Amino acid sequence: MSAAPKQIPPRAGFEWEKLAFDLYPTSGFAKYVWTAETGEWGPVEWVKEPYLNLHVGNVGLNYGASVFEGLKAFRHADGHIRIFRPKDNAARLNHSADAVSMPALPEELFLEGVHLAVARNGDLVPPHAPNAVNGSLYIRPLMFASGANLILAPPSEFTFIVYVTPTGSLYGAAGTKAPAIDAFVIEKFDRAAPRGNGSAKLAGNYAPTFKHAAAAKKAGYPLTMHLDSATRTYVDEFSTSNFLAIKKQADASQRKTLVVPESESILKSVTTKAIIQIAKDFGWAVERRRVLFQEVKDGLFEEVAACGTAAALTPVRSITYHDSPETTKKVSIGDGENAGPGFLSILTQLTGIQSGVQEDKHDWVWPKAGVDGSV
């Protein structure tokens, strides 16, 4: 019989009530290196300083060969720490890596690196609270082409690291509290081309949205949204997260219907996968299809939400778009102010599973016994 994993208590004196979505000092990060000479990933190295020593000609910085993931660890009521759906992130990392000619990373190495980074920084996992209202430990696996090349070709070295930071909510939503926010449609910039790499979590997919998001935020819109690049008539996703909607019901006797946009340009969110399953568990219908933006304009959705690891499930109360080059129109969703009951029920169940207060029927939390602080 194997020994029980060693518990790691929360750090004493940390001001958990002030936890923001930010980077905090940690005990270090896990690092692996792949070389063409061996054709495989080397053993893990623990790096205490938050820095990397790189050749100026590394392909990651010069040509953008960099991919990443985001997932979270939560403290349960038994004091143990568990991670939400890391195997799904391992699979998506390899999908992204393939898009930019990187070697595949074995799932067991991904899990080893994630477990080690969490275990050695376990004191930065916030204290347990139902529905994770105290926050979580955000985990950032990152793979990039660390070898140098001047020609446009993969180098002979790649690096995979896992670092962490304790975080609060990206948009101010925590646990069962989810203040609805306003979104703005970006129409002068395309996030991903048709048949491009929108479905891969490439570092280069995000930086081009910064200035557009900053301008929207300055105008009062915390969230920005993208339509399809080919016709600009279909909903793709928000800049930080997936788009989800609940259809309006003709009467209360109808089943609720969760609508999930389908597109080759949409990043396949692990959180969205969980929400789809939760909706099915609730007995809702689920429509996975192309979603015309005209459906939003026509007010066919009673609720809309942004969904992702960082965003969690953030209700959207309005979407504003340009109806002409000079003027805009605002579509109010629900009562135009607050989060709706449908997504609040989903959020309560999701964060309940993550924090261990709801049954984990689908084996989403890992490891079952908890992260072992003795590693």
PDB file of all heavy atoms in Angstrom, residues 30-46:
ATOM      1  N   ALA A  30       9.935  23.968 -13.164  1.00  0.00           N
ATOM      2  CA  ALA A  30      10.460  22.726 -13.740  1.00  0.00           C
ATOM      3  C   ALA A  30      10.880  22.966 -15.183  1.00  0.00           C
ATOM      4  O   ALA A  30      10.211  23.701 -15.918  1.00  0.00           O
ATOM      5  CB  ALA A  30       9.398  21.633 -13.677  1.00  0.00           C
ATOM      6  N   LYS A  31      11.967  22.327 -15.594  1.00  0.00           N
ATOM      7  CA  LYS A  31      12.509  22.551 -16.935  1.00  0.00           C
ATOM      8  C   LYS A  31      12.979  21.231 -17.551  1.00  0.00           C
ATOM      9  O   LYS A  31      13.627  20.408 -16.897  1.00  0.00           O
ATOM     10  CB  LYS A  31      13.682  23.531 -16.855  1.00  0.00           C
ATOM     11  CG  LYS A  31      14.406  23.775 -18.171  1.00  0.00           C
ATOM     12  CD  LYS A  31      15.623  24.685 -17.962  1.00  0.00           C
ATOM     13  CE  LYS A  31      16.438  24.833 -19.232  1.00  0.00           C
ATOM     14  NZ  LYS A  31      17.659  25.659 -18.999  1.00  0.00           N
ATOM     15  N   TYR A  32      12.647  21.035 -18.822  1.00  0.00           N
ATOM     16  CA  TYR A  32      13.098  19.882 -19.613  1.00  0.00           C
ATOM     17  C   TYR A  32      13.678  20.395 -20.931  1.00  0.00           C
ATOM     18  O   TYR A  32      13.207  21.397 -21.473  1.00  0.00           O
ATOM     19  CB  TYR A  32      11.938  18.948 -19.945  1.00  0.00           C
ATOM     20  CG  TYR A  32      11.222  18.341 -18.767  1.00  0.00           C
ATOM     21  CD1 TYR A  32      10.263  19.075 -18.065  1.00  0.00           C
ATOM     22  CD2 TYR A  32      11.477  17.035 -18.364  1.00  0.00           C
ATOM     23  CE1 TYR A  32       9.584  18.516 -16.992  1.00  0.00           C
ATOM     24  CE2 TYR A  32      10.795  16.459 -17.291  1.00  0.00           C
ATOM     25  CZ  TYR A  32       9.852  17.215 -16.608  1.00  0.00           C
ATOM     26  OH  TYR A  32       9.176  16.662 -15.544  1.00  0.00           O
ATOM     27  N   VAL A  33      14.662  19.695 -21.462  1.00  0.00           N
ATOM     28  CA  VAL A  33      15.274  20.089 -22.737  1.00  0.00           C
ATOM     29  C   VAL A  33      15.291  18.884 -23.686  1.00  0.00           C
ATOM     30  O   VAL A  33      15.666  17.773 -23.295  1.00  0.00           O
ATOM     31  CB  VAL A  33      16.706  20.625 -22.525  1.00  0.00           C
ATOM     32  CG1 VAL A  33      17.362  20.941 -23.874  1.00  0.00           C
ATOM     33  CG2 VAL A  33      16.684  21.881 -21.647  1.00  0.00           C
ATOM     34  N   TRP A  34      14.875  19.116 -24.914  1.00  0.00           N
ATOM     35  CA  TRP A  34      14.950  18.115 -25.986  1.00  0.00           C
ATOM     36  C   TRP A  34      16.080  18.505 -26.928  1.00  0.00           C
ATOM     37  O   TRP A  34      16.223  19.687 -27.285  1.00  0.00           O
ATOM     38  CB  TRP A  34      13.643  18.093 -26.771  1.00  0.00           C
ATOM     39  CG  TRP A  34      13.567  17.081 -27.898  1.00  0.00           C
ATOM     40  CD1 TRP A  34      13.013  15.841 -27.837  1.00  0.00           C
ATOM     41  CD2 TRP A  34      14.038  17.232 -29.237  1.00  0.00           C
ATOM     42  NE1 TRP A  34      13.098  15.205 -29.056  1.00  0.00           N
ATOM     43  CE2 TRP A  34      13.737  16.036 -29.938  1.00  0.00           C
ATOM     44  CE3 TRP A  34      14.698  18.256 -29.926  1.00  0.00           C
ATOM     45  CZ2 TRP A  34      14.061  15.846 -31.276  1.00  0.00           C
ATOM     46  CZ3 TRP A  34      15.026  18.061 -31.263  1.00  0.00           C
ATOM     47  CH2 TRP A  34      14.710  16.875 -31.925  1.00  0.00           C
ATOM     48  N   THR A  35      16.903  17.542 -27.326  1.00  0.00           N
ATOM     49  CA  THR A  35      17.980  17.821 -28.285  1.00  0.00           C
ATOM     50  C   THR A  35      17.890  16.854 -29.460  1.00  0.00           C
ATOM     51  O   THR A  35      17.475  15.687 -29.298  1.00  0.00           O
ATOM     52  CB  THR A  35      19.376  17.680 -27.636  1.00  0.00           C
ATOM     53  OG1 THR A  35      19.573  16.332 -27.212  1.00  0.00           O
ATOM     54  CG2 THR A  35      19.523  18.631 -26.453  1.00  0.00           C
ATOM     55  N   ALA A  36      18.287  17.330 -30.616  1.00  0.00           N
ATOM     56  CA  ALA A  36      18.300  16.490 -31.808  1.00  0.00           C
ATOM     57  C   ALA A  36      19.314  15.363 -31.666  1.00  0.00           C
ATOM     58  O   ALA A  36      19.154  14.289 -32.262  1.00  0.00           O
ATOM     59  CB  ALA A  36      18.615  17.341 -33.032  1.00  0.00           C
ATOM     60  N   GLU A  37      20.341  15.594 -30.878  1.00  0.00           N
ATOM     61  CA  GLU A  37      21.391  14.591 -30.693  1.00  0.00           C
ATOM     62  C   GLU A  37      20.839  13.311 -30.067  1.00  0.00           C
ATOM     63  O   GLU A  37      21.182  12.195 -30.482  1.00  0.00           O
ATOM     64  CB  GLU A  37      22.502  15.163 -29.806  1.00  0.00           C
ATOM     65  CG  GLU A  37      23.677  14.215 -29.606  1.00  0.00           C
ATOM     66  CD  GLU A  37      24.767  14.815 -28.729  1.00  0.00           C
ATOM     67  OE1 GLU A  37      24.625  15.988 -28.310  1.00  0.00           O
ATOM     68  OE2 GLU A  37      25.750  14.108 -28.468  1.00  0.00           O
ATOM     69  N   THR A  38      19.966  13.465 -29.090  1.00  0.00           N
ATOM     70  CA  THR A  38      19.386  12.290 -28.430  1.00  0.00           C
ATOM     71  C   THR A  38      18.018  11.927 -29.002  1.00  0.00           C
ATOM     72  O   THR A  38      17.572  10.784 -28.894  1.00  0.00           O
ATOM     73  CB  THR A  38      19.226  12.542 -26.927  1.00  0.00           C
ATOM     74  OG1 THR A  38      18.285  13.609 -26.712  1.00  0.00           O
ATOM     75  CG2 THR A  38      20.559  12.914 -26.296  1.00  0.00           C
ATOM     76  N   GLY A  39      17.337  12.931 -29.562  1.00  0.00           N
ATOM     77  CA  GLY A  39      15.998  12.699 -30.086  1.00  0.00           C
ATOM     78  C   GLY A  39      14.951  12.473 -29.016  1.00  0.00           C
ATOM     79  O   GLY A  39      13.875  11.925 -29.283  1.00  0.00           O
ATOM     80  N   GLU A  40      15.236  12.927 -27.792  1.00  0.00           N
ATOM     81  CA  GLU A  40      14.273  12.740 -26.708  1.00  0.00           C
ATOM     82  C   GLU A  40      14.444  13.838 -25.666  1.00  0.00           C
ATOM     83  O   GLU A  40      15.426  14.588 -25.665  1.00  0.00           O
ATOM     84  CB  GLU A  40      14.441  11.364 -26.064  1.00  0.00           C
ATOM     85  CG  GLU A  40      15.818  11.112 -25.484  1.00  0.00           C
ATOM     86  CD  GLU A  40      15.984   9.689 -24.968  1.00  0.00           C
ATOM     87  OE1 GLU A  40      15.347   8.780 -25.529  1.00  0.00           O
ATOM     88  OE2 GLU A  40      16.754   9.508 -24.011  1.00  0.00           O
ATOM     89  N   TRP A  41      13.456  13.912 -24.779  1.00  0.00           N
ATOM     90  CA  TRP A  41      13.487  14.902 -23.706  1.00  0.00           C
ATOM     91  C   TRP A  41      14.366  14.406 -22.566  1.00  0.00           C
ATOM     92  O   TRP A  41      14.276  13.242 -22.167  1.00  0.00           O
ATOM     93  CB  TRP A  41      12.074  15.165 -23.191  1.00  0.00           C
ATOM     94  CG  TRP A  41      11.209  15.871 -24.195  1.00  0.00           C
ATOM     95  CD1 TRP A  41      10.368  15.288 -25.104  1.00  0.00           C
ATOM     96  CD2 TRP A  41      11.127  17.279 -24.410  1.00  0.00           C
ATOM     97  NE1 TRP A  41       9.769  16.248 -25.872  1.00  0.00           N
ATOM     98  CE2 TRP A  41      10.206  17.492 -25.462  1.00  0.00           C
ATOM     99  CE3 TRP A  41      11.732  18.388 -23.818  1.00  0.00           C
ATOM    100  CZ2 TRP A  41       9.884  18.762 -25.935  1.00  0.00           C
ATOM    101  CZ3 TRP A  41      11.412  19.658 -24.287  1.00  0.00           C
ATOM    102  CH2 TRP A  41      10.509  19.834 -25.326  1.00  0.00           C
ATOM    103  N   GLY A  42      15.217  15.296 -22.055  1.00  0.00           N
ATOM    104  CA  GLY A  42      16.092  14.952 -20.950  1.00  0.00           C
ATOM    105  C   GLY A  42      15.372  14.975 -19.623  1.00  0.00           C
ATOM    106  O   GLY A  42      14.165  15.283 -19.546  1.00  0.00           O
ATOM    107  N   PRO A  43      16.074  14.669 -18.526  1.00  0.00           N
ATOM    108  CA  PRO A  43      15.458  14.642 -17.196  1.00  0.00           C
ATOM    109  C   PRO A  43      15.088  16.039 -16.718  1.00  0.00           C
ATOM    110  O   PRO A  43      15.613  17.052 -17.205  1.00  0.00           O
ATOM    111  CB  PRO A  43      16.561  14.038 -16.321  1.00  0.00           C
ATOM    112  CG  PRO A  43      17.832  14.367 -17.031  1.00  0.00           C
ATOM    113  CD  PRO A  43      17.508  14.316 -18.492  1.00  0.00           C
ATOM    114  N   VAL A  44      14.194  16.103 -15.763  1.00  0.00           N
ATOM    115  CA  VAL A  44      13.740  17.381 -15.240  1.00  0.00           C
ATOM    116  C   VAL A  44      14.847  18.071 -14.463  1.00  0.00           C
ATOM    117  O   VAL A  44      15.661  17.434 -13.783  1.00  0.00           O
ATOM    118  CB  VAL A  44      12.485  17.185 -14.355  1.00  0.00           C
ATOM    119  CG1 VAL A  44      12.804  16.388 -13.098  1.00  0.00           C
ATOM    120  CG2 VAL A  44      11.849  18.521 -14.001  1.00  0.00           C
ATOM    121  N   GLU A  45      14.877  19.386 -14.574  1.00  0.00           N
ATOM    122  CA  GLU A  45      15.781  20.231 -13.792  1.00  0.00           C
ATOM    123  C   GLU A  45      14.930  21.235 -13.033  1.00  0.00           C
ATOM    124  O   GLU A  45      13.994  21.810 -13.590  1.00  0.00           O
ATOM    125  CB  GLU A  45      16.743  20.977 -14.726  1.00  0.00           C
ATOM    126  CG  GLU A  45      17.657  21.969 -14.030  1.00  0.00           C
ATOM    127  CD  GLU A  45      18.447  22.843 -14.995  1.00  0.00           C
ATOM    128  OE1 GLU A  45      18.359  22.617 -16.220  1.00  0.00           O
ATOM    129  OE2 GLU A  45      19.146  23.768 -14.508  1.00  0.00           O
ATOM    130  N   TRP A  46      15.245  21.446 -11.749  1.00  0.00           N
ATOM    131  CA  TRP A  46      14.526  22.445 -10.968  1.00  0.00           C
ATOM    132  C   TRP A  46      15.317  23.739 -10.975  1.00  0.00           C
ATOM    133  O   TRP A  46      16.481  23.770 -10.587  1.00  0.00           O
ATOM    134  CB  TRP A  46      14.295  21.974  -9.539  1.00  0.00           C
ATOM    135  CG  TRP A  46      13.445  22.932  -8.750  1.00  0.00           C
ATOM    136  CD1 TRP A  46      13.844  23.773  -7.768  1.00  0.00           C
ATOM    137  CD2 TRP A  46      12.048  23.165  -8.935  1.00  0.00           C
ATOM    138  NE1 TRP A  46      12.793  24.512  -7.305  1.00  0.00           N
ATOM    139  CE2 TRP A  46      11.670  24.162  -8.005  1.00  0.00           C
ATOM    140  CE3 TRP A  46      11.076  22.629  -9.788  1.00  0.00           C
ATOM    141  CZ2 TRP A  46      10.355  24.635  -7.912  1.00  0.00           C
ATOM    142  CZ3 TRP A  46       9.766  23.100  -9.687  1.00  0.00           C
ATOM    143  CH2 TRP A  46       9.420  24.085  -8.759  1.00  0.00           C
TER     144      TRP A  46
END
